[in-house]
Amino acid sequence: MAGDDRVLIFDTTLRDGEQSPGCSMTQPEKLRVARALAELGVDVIEAGFPAASKGDFESVSAVAREVSGPIVAALARCSREDIEIAARAIAPAAKGRLHVFLATSAIHREFKLNMAREEIVRRAVQGVQWAREHCADVEFSPEDASRTELDFLAQVVEAVIDAGATTINIPDTVGYTVPDEFAQVFAYLRRHVRGIEGVRLSVHCHDDLGLAVANSLAAVGAGARQVECTINGIGERAGNCALEEVVMALKTREAHFGVRTGIHTQRLYPTSRLVSSITGVAVPRNKAIVGENAFAHESGIHQHGMLKNAQTYEIMRPEDVGLSRSNLVLGKHSGRHAFRERVTALGFALEEAELNRVFEAFKALADRKKELFDGDIEALVLNAAGHESGPWSLLALTTASASGAAATATVELRHVDGRTVSMQGQGDGPIDAAFKAVEAATDMSLRVRKFEVRGVTEGEDAQGETVVYVDHAGRSYRGASVSTNIVEGSVHALLEVINRIDLAQRNALRQSAL
Ligand code: KIV
Ligand code: ZN
């Protein structure tokens, strides 16, 4: 494999990313992300861990059925039951992969698995053999590989290659390794494992020390030809290797690494925005590649240099990552054609019906707001991506408030079963009053843990993005919305939370009926 200059991008946003707190997605949201990943050009989508829950199984199976292009992978422990469930979930995929894993480090062997080395080798081999009964494409991961004794790691890897694994993934599960040490692990395996030249070597890094991208690049330098990563680096604890960072490092420093990926880099920014808006996990302003400030030059000296020659301070062009910001302002006289062009330039590929829906929302917004910027259009598109998963929607909202007096709100909600419910609430300000009215109308008692509002663009008539975090029955939920009216936006965000709770309750009922 060493001469192969193509690095596969294995995206695990829907599995390792989604399993981190606050990142859970509904099935329609997972499908939307999976389609965006396919358009981005990832080689493998790890769609979930089907044995974890019925909901996970159904999401993996929906991605396998409905998303074409990439290989669809499912994770499984080395147990026959897990592997059979995972195999059923990926069965509809044109190209499917089973990804089986078992921890190998001394600390996991002793405290988590209570297994001796021989038992680990036996179970790993057995897992790969079971997986091969269902699928020709089988990946094996020795969990916590970076803290595993090298000779034992080599023994396990050689045994699973003999058993039929076609990809060997080396995870830095706890984000402990450093680049030169990790490169040596790959070099060691390539020197000591019989048959390693016949399989694809993969790397999977966590970011506990902020080294996930650096460690992944070191592994590529040492022969890895698949990188496992997530959009915006979401994932357990400090997250996973960020897809956009590792891809742009490989592209910008192609002469150094001598490898390429199949990623359409102009789709990085819109995909990042989509994942952030669906999960509600904001991208830090200074985040490399997709952060708001990633291409902003504030200092006079930098601006001067940039005006003379952009390359003085810019190693990548914003348009290479899909950031084609312009000062072009749209307004209520802008037609459908200009709107479509702007949406496309921002990197969104909308189907006709979706474009019509967003264009209607654009017209309504343009009636209230003089000028619409790229941030507004992005927010409209991403707003239309949410709110598709639940029974409640807002029909009307009226609020009244005055300084020194309690505020009142009346909401009228529609339920998918055809009912409309109208309720009043009183509270400390219009948002509090509206939330009380919504809770009464939906018969829910909620505790809002965190509430955030930020301007999407500049200007006094800017739209505000509202994000509401709620803890309910031991789980955390998040809802978000964008509107020029932050009270109305807050109600939409709270309804998204209520719809998510409803979905979780229906899923739990389905599971208990199994
Ligand atoms: O971090 C890890 O070890 C994993 C494995 C399942 C690949 O996510
Ligand atoms: Zn992981």
Side-chain angles (χ1 to χ4, degrees), residues 16 204 206 240:
D16 225 355
H204 176 114
H206 283 264
N240 286 54

Side-chain angles (χ1 to χ4, degrees), residues 32 270 273-275 277-278 348 358 377-387:
R32 203 171 172 102
R273 291 291 293 138
L274 178 73
V275 169
S277 99
I278 283 180
F348 296 105
V358 184
I377 294 166
E378 235 172 58
L380 286 173
V381 174
L382 297 171
N383 230 15
H387 319 304

Side-chain angles (χ1 to χ4, degrees), residues 53-73:
S53 74
K54 182 88 172 71
D56 254 58
F57 174 88
E58 281 172 1
S59 299
V60 174
S61 154
V63 171
R65 213 172 33 246
E66 295 184 34
V67 179
S68 52
I71 295 169
V72 178

